[in-house]
């Protein structure tokens, strides 16, 4: 068996952060975003831009992981 070690890890978040208030305003106009935030515990999330490729983010994470190792 060949020994294997993890030398570095990394993560990449796609796009800009979108707040719960923005999501609620788009999906449920008139609903209080504080209620949704209290239920989910999520204040913001990142959404990839339309047409973005997963491979683009994977390659960026790989480069960062290699640099961290």
């Amino acid at each position: 068996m060949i020994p294997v070690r993890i030398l570095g890890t990394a993560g990449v978040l796609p796009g800009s952060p979108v707040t719960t208030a923005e999501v609620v305003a788009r999906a449920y106009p008139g609903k209080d975003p504080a209620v949704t935030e209290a239920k989910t515990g999520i204040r913001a999330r990142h959404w990839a831009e339309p047409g973005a490729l997963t491979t683009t983010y994977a390659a960026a994470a790989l480069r960062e992981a290699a640099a961290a190792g």
Side-chain angles (χ1 to χ4, degrees):
M1 209 170 187
I2 299 172
V4 176
R5 292 186 299 160
I6 297 172
L7 299 177
T9 61
V12 175
L13 296 173
S16 302
V18 179
T19 66
T20 296
E22 291 174 277
V23 173
V24 170
R26 287 187 219 169
Y28 307 103
K31 188 173 180 182
D32 182 8
V35 173
T36 301
E37 192 173 310
K39 286 181 181 179
T40 64
I42 300 171
R43 286 186 239 159
R45 76 274 299 134
H46 289 257
W47 282 345
E49 299 298 324
L53 300 175
T54 303
T55 53
T56 302
Y57 299 114
L62 178 60
R63 282 191 294 277
E64 287 188 27

